[in-house]
Amino acid sequence: AQTVTQSQPEMSVQEAETVTLSCTYDTSESDYYLFWYKQPPSRQMILVIRQEAYKQQNATENRFSVNFQKAAKSFSLKISDSQLGDAAMYFCAYRGGSQGNLIFGKGTKLSVKP
Amino acid sequence: GAVVSQHPSWVICKSGTSVKIECRSLDFQATTMFWYRQFPKQSLMLMATSNEGSKATYEQGVEKDKFLINHASLTLSTLTVTSAHPEDSSFYICSARDPGVGSYNSPLHFGNGTRLTVT
């Protein structure tokens, strides 16, 4: 079975600084997809960024980028120029190529200090 | 963009009663919807996969007779918590994938969730 591990329950970053959230996963599949979701206090799940496993190039979305290390099964999220609005729970998620549902990590609570 | 609407956003019910939660895809047809449960300060756990026109697929440990799922149309799935008990109090979130977007790399669209409190 696939698993997703987020080893940092909480992280803190100073406004305008950069922070990296860690995520590792375990799978025997070769075709899969990885996602980072943000959940603010409103509990709405917001897609931050996604990565197809077959793509070597790391995905980037404005201030958000990932470091995808397929061999190491690592998928970290880097947030540059952190803003107060980035404060939220961040969930790393995995989806197999033949599946529709997501498997989530336990989440990392990010605090942004002004 | 694609939107998934979930209703109600919160509900309080008495122990022993049943509660129905609706999940609608507003601008796309979803043959499959997913129901997740999230306890406070915890992650989302998949409860069941709702398939249009057929029986839902439940995850191990989820009581299918307690959590009734109906996916009668391509835009609506419902989750009914039957004979609710205080331990059923939780945050329930539905999601759906827009098959028109492409392959499985298309992201899931989430509803806003339903906070259920059973007294």
Side-chain angles (χ1 to χ4, degrees):
Chain A
Q2 296 81 18
T3 59
V4 177
T5 302
Q6 291 179 252
S7 59
Q8 306 155 316
E10 295 186 22
M11 289 285 284
S12 180
V13 64
Q14 203 71 33
E15 192 176 7
E17 296 295 311
T18 296
V19 64
T20 298
L21 307 184
S22 301
C23 173
T24 60
Y25 59 94
D26 190 23
T27 183
S28 58
E29 297 178 308
S30 57
D31 182 23
Y32 54 89
Y33 307 90
L34 298 165
F35 304 84
W36 278 97
Y37 279 88
K38 169 185 177 182
Q39 188 181 43
S42 67
R43 307 293 289 271
Q44 174 68 46
M45 296 294 286
I46 302 168
L47 177 66
V48 175
I49 198 167
R50 60 181 171 177
Q51 174 83 41
E52 294 89 341
Y54 63 84
K55 289 187 177 179
Q56 292 185 341
Q57 186 173 6
N58 290 324
T60 299
E61 289 287 342
N62 300 314
R63 298 183 295 107
F64 300 89
S65 61
V66 298
N67 183 3
F68 175 47
Q69 301 291 327
K70 190 172 183 178
K73 296 180 181 175
S74 172
F75 182 61
S76 61
L77 173 70
K78 185 172 80 172
I79 305 174
S80 303
D81 186 24
S82 298
Q83 301 176 359
L84 295 177
D86 295 334
M89 282 291 292
Y90 285 82
F91 291 99
C92 178
Y94 169 101
R95 182 164 76 204
S98 60
Q99 302 167 342
N101 64 292
L102 292 170
I103 299 171
F104 288 91
K106 291 188 175 182
T108 296
K109 183 179 181 180
L110 177 66
S111 301
V112 181
K113 298 179 180 179
Chain B
V3 176
V4 173
S5 175
Q6 189 171 341
H7 179 80
S9 57
W10 61 271
V11 58
I12 302 174
C13 70
K14 292 186 177 180
S15 185
T17 61
S18 296
V19 174
K20 180 185 287 187
I21 302 170
E22 294 186 346
C23 181
R24 295 180 183 274
S25 56
L26 297 185
D27 55 1
F28 65 96
Q29 293 182 330
T31 55
T32 302
M33 291 185 177
F34 304 96
W35 288 95
Y36 291 86
R37 183 173 181 175
Q38 185 179 29
F39 288 107
K41 299 183 179 180
Q42 295 192 23
S43 187
L44 284 75
M45 298 300 295
L46 180 67
M47 297 176 64
T49 301
S50 171
N51 302 299
E52 188 270 335
S54 64
K55 292 182 179 180
T57 304
Y58 289 82
E59 295 299 300
Q60 189 175 6
V62 177
E63 299 176 58
K64 56 185 66 177
D65 293 332
K66 180 168 189 61
F67 298 100
L68 300 179
I69 291 174
N70 184 281
H71 196 154
S73 77
L74 288 171
T75 59
L76 175 64
S77 175
T78 60
L79 168 67
T80 301
V81 183
T82 63
S83 186
H85 290 282
E87 57 265 31
D88 298 325
S89 298
S90 187
F91 192 68
Y92 295 86
I93 309 176
C94 71
S95 67
R97 183 177 63 85
D98 184 352
V101 172
S103 63
Y104 280 98
N105 68 339
S106 59
L108 289 182
H109 300 286
F110 286 86
N112 287 337
T114 298
R115 183 180 300 280
L116 171 64
T117 302
V118 184
T119 61

